[in-house]
Amino acid sequence: MKGIISYGAYIPYNRLQRKKIGEFFGKSTYSGEKAVAGYDEDSVSMGVEAALDCLHGTDSKEIDAVYFATTSAPYKEKGSISTIAAALHLKENVRGIEAASSLRSGTSAILAANELEQTLVIASDCRTGAPTGQNEQWFGDGAASFLIGHGPEVIANVIDAVSVQGELVSEWRSQTDSFTQNWEERLGSTVFLKQVKEVVTPFLEKNNCTADAINKVIISGPGTRAHTQAASAVGFQKNQIQDPLFDSVGAAGNAHAPMMLVSALEEAKPGDQLLVVAFAEGLDVMLLEVTEAISRLAKRKGVQGYLTVKNDQTSYSDYLKWRNLLETEPPRRPETERPSAPALYRGYHQNLSFTGSKCRNCGTPQFPKQRICTQCQVKDEMDDYRFVGQSAKIMTYTLDHLAASPAPPMIVAVVDFDKGGRIICEVTDCHPKEIEIGMNVEMTFRRLYEAGGISNYFWKARPIRQKESV
Amino acid sequence: MSRKGISDKVAVIGMGCTRFAEHWDKSVDDLLVDAAYEAFADAGIEPADIEAAWLGTMISGYAGITLSGPLKTQFIPVTRVENMCATGSEAFRNACYAVASGAYDIVLAIGVEKLKDSGFSGLNSPKPPNDGTAPNFSAPASFSFLAPAYFEKYGLSAEQGREVLSRIAWKNHYNGSLNPKAQYRNEVPMEKISNSPMVAAPLGIMDCSGVADGAAAAIIVRTEDAHKYRKDPMYVKALSIAAGPGDGRLRQDFDFTSIKENVVSSQAAYREAGIKDPRKEISMAEVHDCFTPTELVIYEDLGFSERGQGWKDVLNGVFELGGELPVNPDGGLKSFGHPIGASGLRMLYEMYLQFQGRAGKRQLDNPKIGLTHNLGGTPMQCVSFVSIVGKELS
């Protein structure tokens, strides 16, 4: 039977207090905070981070297929799968599909995964609501990832699933729209409620199941209240409803239901039954049963881990700048040049997967790849050597106020890996006052910048802030 | 490493140097003409006497015609050289070697840079097309790595470190205040340096050399011909340049408190010039004080201070104008700014003036041996140049 073998999540470090939006515009807002992607993050970089969390302790070369689901891909024309596959160091003949546009493409990708093949599903979204609008407050950024397959390592079996298509213009963004638009909320919530009643009750009956037998119902519906209305309409009590993360993350598009599912799995015990209901022009409904294997799953950051590591002082003006919603005076430095496509092409394997070389003669790891060893000068005696996931420390650093950066000062550090090797790179998700010699850091996949319409992805260092971090 | 070098084989018989400044009203051509003609006049020669020329510039022109056009030289060979911040010195080195080889009797080495026309703060150099993954940090940032690493290694508190760096900048501004060709000719209080706005923490704006336009030139002949032109030429004792393998980016044993290119280039120069104890034998030095911690590290790399003792020598005034070994008597990059192609020749110009007793208020007491030094690139990957020049033949 098909099931979830592993899960992972990612929530950006920066959180925006919703009241800051209200203070700026002089209006009332929802409570809580929302997760906002930093200037160096997007749906691809967040998706890679969630997948790295999911694949912790897994051989990435055993993955047969990868599905990337997002409504906020960096390109309208040019895929993201190849970037993600390279960053995750997946095998070259891994199959890939990009599930786009639909807000339930995350759950649909889980349902589409073939149990006979190890399939990595990544759902990631980074949506932008128009300033002053409700969506701006409501939307949050995040990603979730699942490894789907079968066998004794499955932590949650998919007992049954059903999908219905129900066309509706409720929430949409055209090819040329910058922001999501909405019809009157009552339309979406009414149709959603109707669809849930028509689909969920018969689905549970078909599986000889009742609402009270379900431990957690994970509902992603339109607006802030529809999920609780729908849950009670089909017989669920309040304590069965999975926290929709509205106050801590926001509505994370197609990653919303998957992130809630990760949250539920983090709390789940063997034998628990989970019901997933994801809405967008119809429903994806999924019944899961947690297995004994969940107790053997290696520790990961997950939603819980990332929720606790945050900067809740993010300013609204920074958010506006990072989203290109506020035009500001450019720094008095030359404009960032478009990277060279041939140079990118030559460097993809090295740069996206962060693979350097290790000298066969003297054992020195080095990045970028060298042909002549920096230590012993032997020629062409190098093996590939991947630095991802390795612990490292700050050797020395600077806070560069002159460099052009969307979040000055640019923190640049000499990073020494504990197992050898060095890189000089940017430090991200770090307050300038935090950094010090000897600080523990790990590498994180980021979008360095966009220039000439090209998104350039690479790795930066970020502080390891918690002992229990994995 | 064995090499013979060209000790005492060539001499400088004329030099010229523009004021280094924000020359809004002068072009690259103007600066080249001004520096070259000052050197011609100083040597007592005609422009047509020059048989070949070496032009150093990093971003203000390319090819020999950058020089032959404004000077209207008549079909002589002109070579453009570039070696980052050692560009001017590299032009001088190549010109000296050409004369020493016997290929030419009299040549011009000239360096120029016009940085203020770019409209950007600091130095910006064009990069070849690349994958854009290297962090685009600024020049001060790359050198500011030295400060926390040095303080950590030798146990200096942030306050002690700050005092040391400020004193280096203060010294160079004091020296520059005595120099009519410096860009900045004011003394700057230590407190103002210490509290200047951050550029690349822990470096403030007053830890950085200025950005300026300028040009400097030298006329070079073989030593046996020098006295035909003047009684007090400057003799070239050693020229050395080391290009590093860039292992500071790759190897953990590079600890950002020493730059090996400096060590190698200075040791080679000392061998060539027969110098055993640089601190005692060298009368004065012009070193590459692009940023204050650079100068601190240079003291130790060039053997002026014992390892880990450079900061104490700073506090004891060893490198000040009246100290044991004056460093940057003309005010250094700190007071002059750093028009890349011109700086190396500007340093030699100070040596030349000091040997001839023409250094005015900052004149040292009968200096005999001088050293100039440039560091092009970053501490992690650079070229380092060292020259030894002298007042007398050995």
Side-chain angles (χ1 to χ4, degrees):
Chain A
M1 188 185 291
K2 174 161 81 179
I4 294 168
I5 293 172
S6 177
Y7 62 80
Y10 181 75
I11 302 169
Y13 179 60
N14 294 293
R15 314 292 158 80
L16 176 61
Q17 306 294 316
R18 291 195 173 97
K19 66 173 189 235
K20 289 187 183 174
I21 304 175
E23 283 161 8
F24 186 85
F25 291 113
K27 58 186 272 190
S28 62
T29 56
Y30 296 128
S31 60
E33 60 193 23
K34 63 177 220 158
V36 297
Y39 65 91
D40 56 0
E41 296 186 291
D42 65 6
S43 56
V44 167
S45 73
M46 294 193 304
V48 166
E49 285 293 320
L52 286 170
D53 194 38
C54 175
L55 295 177
H56 187 68
T58 306
D59 181 0
S60 62
K61 295 290 182 193
E62 287 181 1
I63 291 165
D64 302 298
V66 55
Y67 297 173
F68 179 56
T70 186
T71 70
S72 46
Y75 296 98
K76 284 183 178 164
E77 185 172 327
K78 186 198 171 307
S80 302
I81 284 281
S82 54
T83 310
I84 290 168
L88 297 175
H89 209 229
L90 304 182
K91 63 189 180 188
E92 265 183 25
N93 60 348
V94 69
R95 284 186 297 105
I97 293 180
E98 313 210 8
S101 305
S102 169
L103 288 172
R104 63 186 159 106
S105 55
T107 49
S108 301
I110 295 173
L111 293 178
N114 184 334
E115 68 176 286
L116 298 177
E117 297 179 320
Q118 292 240 12
T119 304
L120 180 68
V121 173
I122 302 168
S124 179
D125 250 333
C126 185
R127 296 189 298 164
T128 307
T132 78
Q134 186 174 290
N135 287 339
E136 180 184 45
Q137 295 179 38
W138 194 42
F139 290 175
D141 305 329
S145 177
F146 299 94
L147 187 58
I148 308 293
H150 73 292
E153 296 309 311
V154 164
I155 59 161
N157 280 308
V158 179
I159 305 294
D160 195 10
V162 63
S163 294
V164 293
Q165 306 302 334
E167 174 62 325
L168 177 68
V169 177
S170 168
E171 200 171 345
W172 71 96
R173 179 163 56 89
S174 77
Q175 275 277 342
T176 51
D177 283 342
S178 301
F179 306 110
T180 305
Q181 302 190 55
N182 310 72
W183 202 265
E184 196 180 349
E185 196 176 308
R186 292 271 299 142
L187 172 67
S189 57
T190 303
V191 173
F192 169 65
L193 192 59
K194 179 169 174 284
Q195 290 178 351
V196 168
K197 284 180 188 165
E198 284 174 2
V199 174
V200 172
T201 307
F203 175 76
L204 289 176
E205 282 170 6
K206 178 190 164 212
N207 285 289
N208 299 318
C209 190
T210 54
D212 58 5
I214 300 288
N215 296 82
K216 274 278 151 51
V217 59
I218 294 130
I219 307 186
S220 174
T224 53
R225 289 185 304 274
H227 69 288
T228 51
Q229 291 166 354
S232 67
V234 289
F236 288 97
Q237 304 299 310
K238 268 190 181 166
N239 62 2
Q240 289 172 282
I241 303 171
Q242 181 65 39
D243 172 15
L245 303 170
F246 288 150
D247 283 347
S248 51
V249 176
N254 91 90
H256 189 222
M259 289 174 79
M260 288 162 70
L261 176 56
V262 168
S263 272
L265 287 168
E266 286 170 340
E267 303 275 310
K269 294 181 293 296
D272 279 4
Q273 309 254 322
L274 308 175
L275 182 73
V276 179
V277 180
F279 167 79
E281 305 96 40
L283 300 179
D284 284 335
V285 180
M286 201 182 326
L287 179 63
L288 296 153
E289 185 173 74
V290 178
T291 75
E292 288 290 341
I294 200 161
S295 52
R296 298 193 297 273
L297 190 69
K299 190 167 166 51
R300 63 214 47 236
K301 290 179 180 169
V303 169
Q304 274 312 317
Y306 277 111
L307 271 183
T308 56
V309 179
K310 63 180 177 180
N311 163 33
D312 54 14
Q313 301 299 312
T314 305
S315 69
Y316 183 57
S317 57
D318 275 342
Y319 166 79
L320 291 175
K321 281 189 274 184
W322 297 346
R323 289 292 167 98
N324 292 319
L325 295 174
L326 185 65
E327 200 169 352
T328 56
E329 184 179 312
R332 290 179 191 174
R333 303 285 290 173
E335 269 191 55
T336 304
E337 281 185 34
R338 174 171 86 168
S340 157
L344 286 171
Y345 173 72
R346 289 192 298 273
Y348 279 139
H349 173 66
Q350 163 183 287
N351 294 335
L352 294 178
S353 68
F354 205 54
T355 301
S357 52
K358 186 173 184 176
C359 180
R360 253 173 251 142
N361 187 51
C362 71
T364 304
Q366 33 214 300
F367 188 94
K369 293 184 180 192
Q370 303 291 310
R371 288 192 62 193
I372 313 290
C373 176
T374 188
Q375 186 78 37
C376 68
Q377 287 92 52
V378 161
K379 174 172 169 283
D380 290 333
E381 288 286 331
M382 293 286 180
D383 291 322
D384 280 0
Y385 183 83
R386 196 159 176 241
F387 288 89
V388 174
Q390 294 197 21
S391 56
K393 289 184 179 63
I394 302 289
M395 187 268 155
T396 186
Y397 63 91
T398 182
L399 310 177
D400 193 343
H401 295 259
L402 188 58
S405 166
M410 180 190 282
I411 308 179
V412 188
V414 179
V415 172
D416 281 350
F417 290 93
D418 294 343
K419 290 181 188 167
R422 163 177 286 184
I423 184 175
I424 300 175
C425 65
E426 275 190 63
V427 181
T428 193
D429 295 350
C430 181
H431 191 279
K433 285 188 174 151
E434 273 182 282
I435 190 149
E436 56 184 12
I437 289 176
M439 178 190 233
N440 290 309
V441 294
E442 61 190 345
M443 301 308 289
T444 176
F445 188 72
R446 298 291 163 134
R447 186 181 67 168
L448 293 184
Y449 56 84
E450 184 192 314
I454 298 172
S455 291
N456 200 4
Y457 296 93
F458 191 60
W459 300 77
K460 295 183 181 181
R462 75 165 160 223
I464 298 178
R465 291 196 169 76
Q466 48 192 29
K467 269 189 196 157
E468 67 272 30
S469 187
V470 287
Chain B
M1 199 190 311
S2 71
R3 68 166 145 204
K4 292 179 175 162
I6 59 161
S7 196
D8 280 340
K9 287 183 182 167
V10 302
V12 177
I13 54 149
M15 288 198 82
C17 184
T18 68
R19 192 184 162 206
F20 282 22
E22 293 179 336
H23 284 301
W24 305 116
D25 56 346
K26 283 191 160 77
S27 65
V28 169
D29 290 6
D30 292 328
L31 295 170
L32 285 168
V33 168
D34 289 351
Y37 273 71
E38 189 181 324
F40 297 149
D42 181 58
I45 63 166
E46 295 300 318
D49 294 335
I50 296 298
E51 295 171 352
W54 278 260
L55 166 69
T57 190
M58 190 164 87
I59 53 175
S60 302
Y62 39 87
I65 52 174
T66 301
L67 179 66
S68 61
L71 261 58
K72 302 295 177 292
T73 58
Q74 296 297 306
F75 309 98
I76 63 169
V78 181
T79 305
R80 179 256 174 141
V81 301
E82 183 276 313
N83 224 339
M84 288 190 287
C85 301
T87 293
S89 297
E90 185 69 306
F92 180 74
R93 189 177 75 103
N94 281 270
C96 289
Y97 281 7
V99 171
S101 79
Y104 304 105
D105 294 330
I106 181 164
V107 305
L108 168 69
I110 187 163
V112 69
E113 213 75 65
K114 195 135 185 25
L115 298 179
K116 296 302 298 186
D117 281 8
S118 80
F120 297 123
S121 327
L123 171 65
N124 288 290
S125 40
K127 292 182 185 72
N130 64 82
D131 68 22
T133 56
N136 190 24
F137 52 88
S138 63
S142 68
F143 283 91
S144 75
F145 286 137
L146 299 169
Y150 187 96
F151 301 162
E152 176 88 3
K153 181 167 179 178
Y154 297 115
L156 276 71
S157 68
E159 292 71 28
Q160 280 176 307
R162 183 62 264 163
E163 188 188 352
V164 171
L165 299 184
S166 294
R167 184 135 175 185
I168 291 170
W170 170 83
K171 168 194 66 116
N172 290 342
H173 273 297
Y174 173 78
N175 294 354
S177 74
L178 307 175
N179 193 335
K181 287 199 170 176
Q183 179 178 18
Y184 304 115
R185 291 180 294 187
N186 295 322
E187 287 187 59
V188 181
M190 208 94 78
E191 193 171 285
K192 185 176 173 187
I193 296 167
S194 293
N195 297 321
S196 68
M198 280 297 141
V199 170
L203 305 189
I205 185 79
M206 293 307 292
D207 287 290
C208 307
S209 54
V211 177
D213 306 326
I219 312 292
I220 300 146
V221 300
R222 279 187 301 281
T223 293
E224 63 257 37
D225 298 335
H227 283 273
K228 289 187 217 164
Y229 298 94
R230 69 183 317 135
K231 62 175 178 26
D232 54 0
M234 176 169 81
Y235 300 100
V236 176
K237 308 283 181 185
L239 295 167
S240 173
I241 196 156
D247 51 6
R249 295 176 178 278
L250 299 167
R251 289 171 58 162
Q252 294 191 3
D253 52 5
F254 180 84
D255 73 358
F256 286 87
T257 66
S258 169
I259 296 165
K260 193 161 184 195
E261 289 85 342
N262 286 338
V263 178
V264 172
S265 61
S266 60
Q267 290 298 322
Y270 295 153
R271 272 197 303 279
E272 195 171 322
I275 287 173
K276 303 276 187 297
D277 184 346
R279 178 147 166 171
K280 285 214 177 75
E281 294 173 62
I282 292 169
S283 321
M284 60 185 172
E286 284 286 331
V287 305
H288 203 84
D289 59 318
C290 50
F291 304 98
T292 49
T294 325
E295 183 164 329
L296 174 60
V297 166
I298 289 165
Y299 295 146
E300 298 181 13
D301 285 344
L302 268 49
F304 299 171
S305 296
E306 297 289 321
R307 282 275 165 227
Q309 302 295 310
W311 66 278
K312 288 180 191 161
D313 287 342
V314 170
L315 297 180
N316 290 328
V318 170
F319 307 113
E320 289 166 20
L321 220 43
E324 189 183 339
L325 170 48
V327 172
N328 294 329
D330 74 354
L333 299 167
K334 187 79 193 76
S335 293
F336 268 79
H338 181 25
I340 315 294
S343 287
L345 282 151
R346 181 269 299 162
M347 294 170 163
L348 288 158
Y349 180 67
E350 176 68 5
M351 301 287 115
Y352 181 77
L353 294 181
Q354 290 279 358
F355 290 144
Q356 293 173 349
R358 293 161 62 193
K361 289 179 181 170
R362 63 190 189 284
Q363 180 65 47
L364 302 170
D365 182 23
N366 193 27
K368 296 269 176 57
I369 292 286
L371 176 150
T372 71
H373 161 267
N374 303 117
L375 193 161
T378 68
M380 299 80 86
Q381 179 162 31
C382 61
V383 291
S384 175
F385 169 89
V386 172
S387 86
I388 309 286
V389 288
K391 185 178 185 175
E392 297 158 358
L393 286 171
S394 304

